[in-house]
Structure formats: structure tokens, C-alpha cells
Amino acid sequence: MIHTLEADGIELDFGLRRILSDVYLKCETGKITGLLGRNGQGKSCLMNILLGNLQTASNSVRFDGKVIKKASKRSDLLLYLPQFNFIPKSLKVKQVLDDFQLNYADFENRFPEFKGRQHVKVNSLSGGQWRTVEIYIIVKSPSLFAMLDEPFTHLNPIQIEKIKEFLMEEKANKGFLITDHMYSHLLDVSDNVYLLKDGKTHPAKTIADLEYLGYLNIGVRD
Amino acid sequence: MRTLKLITRFYGGIFLGNFLVTLSCIFLFLHAGHDAYKIIGILFWYKVITIIMIFYTADHYKKNELYYYQNLGISKLKLLITTSIFDFLLWLGIIWIQLLIGIPAYLSNLFLWSVLLIHLYLYTRK
């Protein structure tokens, strides 16, 4: 059965500045939805609205057509990878996986660089490894959907390729909403992409679409 | 059980501040002597206000970590309510013991220094 996460009617203002006004977003299980946008366009705000962490004048966030106001209280519905490190730094890698009821051996098989590192504290890992642990727990933990805010940041090219491969495999188990400035990686893994511009979402499929919508300026249209 | 373990872990991060407030209440009690019951209302509000202040300080300095608990199904409100109730009951228990039997000052001092040294040890281990 395919599950859906839809959001529309979202209005968000910071003082006199309107951040979001005409947003429509649809995610489905089994698919990766990309969300692009320049800095300050409200991508992270939109994710926090979907979670119910950020209150707005009006919004409608629906899971399978049913309005859910506080998805943050339903980890079975929606998990969230924020753009910053969120694992308490004093925890060991195995403790983190145990908290999320995930098997360390499976993690080790997926990311062999963690072999024998289960007792290392997360703050002793490199930035890329720390981020890898965070991505793994959010992607692997059971839920219908997961939102990943800048998952490729802090990762080296090899780690990025591994994460892309991992996401392509795991999309069979849930739906993903991903935002990142590394648009080429995002386009590689996404089934559909939205560009957030001037408070509105615009469907985009190719680099040419992104250039047409003014997100890129690399001469694809020339 | 898992939820309890996670809440306990979060509480561990704010325990010292809260416990120092509780101990300061005991010292004020000791100094008040026979008039101790007269200041219990003030101590009650002192404790309630500091519980809220310490939680909001933790909310500010550990706001990133709150997403960890959120992804595990424990909301900020749940953390606030459970840790506050537990800490208040701990305060109430200690005040009650103090009222009933009276904890000698040297014992309170010993307890305070033990807690501080344990925290210092745990902090340096991190």
C-alpha cells in the first residue's frame, strides 16, 4: 500500500516578510522527493511546519488524507534529520543504535569503516562519520516518512555515493523528503523535485528546469 | 522501560542544577531552626521557579539534542513534565525527611560534596 504525505495552504510570515504562501507538496512511500531552494527561502521552516514544531497562521498537513497537527509526536509517521548534529555528544555509537533498536552488525555491514568502533563516542568520530550515523538511524528506524535536511553536507564524495546507494535501497521501506544544496546529487536520487522560490513550490525535473526557474545559472539553456 | 531510560539520561544532564537548589533549601531549613515551617511557602515557589528556569536553560543549550528524543517519540513537553514531577517529588521527599527527623548539617555537607565530586568525575571522563 502506498502512503502519502501532503501539505498545502501553508502561510508563514516573519514580521512583515512573507516566507511561505503557496506551497503544495506531495510525498509517497517508495519515492524520494527532493526540495531545492536558495538560502532563506524557507526549506527548513517548511520541514518544521510538516513536523508541527513551527506554528503558522494556516496549514494543512495530511498523512493518507488525515490531518495531523503534531507529527513530531508520531515517530511512527515522520522522522527528521535536522541540518545540524543532534545526537548527544557523550553517547557511544552502539548506545545510539540501541536507543533506536537497530542492530550494530547490520550497520557495520553497511558501513565497514565502523568495524570495531561501537564503543567510540560520537564526538570522537569525524564530521562525516557522525553524519553517517545520524542518517543511518533516521533512514533505518521504522516510520512511514523521513525528512532529511542537508544529508550530504559534511560528507566526502565516497560517503555521498554510499549514502545515495543506501537511500535508493531504503526507499522501498518509506518515503523521503530531502533538501540539500548539492542539487546534482539530489536530482540523481529523487523521483520528483520541488523548487521553493518566493514562498511557492514549483515542480522541477531537470537541471534545465532549475535554470529556467532561476535557481541555477550555468548556461544549460544556451 | 526504554522511554524511562531515555528520560533518565536527559534528567542526568540537568540533575546537578536542580539538586543544588534542593540542597540550598535544606541549608535554609537548617538555618531557620524552629521557624523552618514558616518559610516552606517561599521554598516551594523557589523550587518551582528554578525547575522551570533550569529546564528552559537546558532547552536553550541542548535544543539540538531535543530532536534526538523527538525522533525516539519523546516530546519536549513529556521531558519537561516527567523530569519536573520527579525532581519536585525528590525535593518534597528530602524536605519531608528534614521536617520529620532533621538531617544534621555535617551530613548535608558531606552529601553535597559527594554529589559535586561525582559530577566533576563524570564531567572529566566525558
Side-chain angles (χ1 to χ4, degrees):
Chain A
M1 183 189 172
I2 294 171
H3 298 278
T4 58
L5 161 59
E6 283 178 288
D8 56 25
I10 295 171
E11 286 180 9
L12 176 69
D13 301 292
F14 286 145
L16 293 173
R17 190 178 162 220
R18 175 143 285 196
I19 307 295
L20 300 172
S21 61
D22 189 10
V23 169
Y24 176 74
L25 196 76
K26 184 179 182 184
C27 303
E28 288 178 332
T29 49
K31 285 186 177 174
I32 297 177
T33 304
L35 179 65
L36 290 168
R38 290 186 176 177
N39 291 331
Q41 291 292 321
K43 301 184 297 296
S44 298
C45 287
L46 179 57
M47 287 188 161
N48 274 295
I49 292 167
L50 296 179
L51 270 174
N53 281 350
L54 190 60
Q55 300 303 316
T56 57
S58 73
N59 74 66
S60 173
V61 178
R62 302 179 300 277
F63 289 83
D64 294 331
K66 192 179 166 195
V67 174
I68 303 282
K69 290 274 178 199
K70 270 270 179 194
S72 61
K73 289 183 177 174
R74 296 281 309 273
S75 53
D76 58 319
L77 284 183
L78 185 60
L79 294 173
Y80 177 52
L81 175 86
Q83 58 184 277
F84 43 78
N85 292 127
F86 70 98
I87 297 176
K89 57 186 177 185
S90 60
L91 296 186
K92 292 173 182 167
V93 179
K94 191 167 184 312
Q95 267 182 306
V96 174
L97 292 174
D98 288 345
D99 283 348
F100 283 85
Q101 295 175 316
L102 298 170
N103 188 300
Y104 191 81
D106 293 343
F107 176 59
E108 223 175 38
N109 285 338
R110 163 59 65 181
F111 298 102
E113 66 265 35
F114 285 92
K115 212 170 179 68
R117 306 207 72 190
Q118 60 265 46
H119 299 300
V120 174
K121 285 182 180 173
V122 288
N123 66 344
S124 302
L125 299 171
S126 68
Q129 286 176 326
W130 189 338
R131 199 63 176 157
T132 302
V133 177
E134 292 182 330
I135 293 168
Y136 185 83
I137 57 175
I138 296 300
V139 170
K140 267 290 188 185
S141 297
S143 71
L144 289 185
F145 294 94
M147 297 190 297
L148 313 181
D149 196 348
E150 299 191 15
F152 304 128
T153 310
H154 301 304
L155 301 183
N156 66 43
I158 293 170
Q159 287 171 324
I160 289 175
E161 290 309 319
K162 278 186 183 175
I163 291 296
K164 280 163 67 178
E165 196 182 302
F166 179 49
L167 289 171
M168 294 302 280
E169 278 176 32
E170 290 299 324
K171 76 174 185 180
N173 302 320
K174 61 172 72 172
F176 291 103
L177 176 64
I178 303 177
T179 179
D180 207 289
H181 289 298
M182 296 191 187
Y183 63 90
S184 58
H185 294 305
L186 195 73
L187 290 174
D188 286 347
V189 294
S190 298
D191 296 288
N192 52 320
V193 176
Y194 293 97
L195 174 70
L196 192 56
K197 191 188 171 197
D198 302 327
K200 299 176 173 62
T201 44
H202 306 266
K205 277 195 165 64
T206 59
I207 288 182
D209 290 343
L210 294 175
E211 188 162 18
Y212 178 76
L213 290 163
Y215 177 68
L216 298 174
N217 187 19
I218 52 174
V220 173
R221 284 192 298 159
D222 299 334
Chain B
M1 202 60 199
R2 176 169 153 260
T3 306
L4 190 68
K5 189 181 91 178
L6 292 164
I7 292 172
T8 308
R9 187 186 291 155
F10 177 80
Y11 180 65
I14 57 172
F15 172 76
L16 184 62
N18 279 313
F19 197 66
L20 285 175
V21 172
T22 299
L23 282 176
S24 67
C25 289
I26 300 294
F27 285 116
L28 289 169
F29 240 71
L30 286 169
H31 280 285
H34 293 296
D35 296 327
Y37 67 93
K38 287 181 183 170
I39 60 164
I40 198 143
I42 297 165
L43 294 182
F44 170 82
W45 287 113
Y46 170 52
K47 183 62 189 171
V48 169
I49 290 164
T50 51
I51 283 176
I52 295 165
M53 281 172 65
I54 290 170
F55 187 86
Y56 276 95
T57 309
D59 180 28
H60 180 74
Y61 287 103
K62 291 175 181 255
K63 65 179 172 197
N64 294 357
E65 291 181 15
L66 291 176
Y67 284 99
Y68 184 80
Y69 295 98
Q70 184 178 283
N71 281 319
L72 287 162
I74 305 170
S75 67
K76 190 165 81 174
L77 190 67
K78 196 186 261 185
L79 283 174
L80 170 68
I81 291 170
T82 48
T83 56
S84 300
I85 288 175
F86 177 78
D87 193 67
F88 183 76
L89 290 176
L90 186 69
W91 174 86
L92 201 64
I94 293 174
I95 290 287
W96 186 65
I97 292 168
Q98 178 65 28
L99 270 172
L100 278 184
I101 56 170
I103 303 167
Y106 75 89
L107 212 59
S108 302
N109 273 318
L110 188 72
F111 203 45
L112 171 68
W113 284 106
S114 308
V115 169
L116 284 174
L117 287 172
I118 289 167
H119 263 83
L120 193 66
Y121 168 70
L122 292 174
Y123 184 77
T124 47
R125 258 186 67 199
K126 279 180 191 174

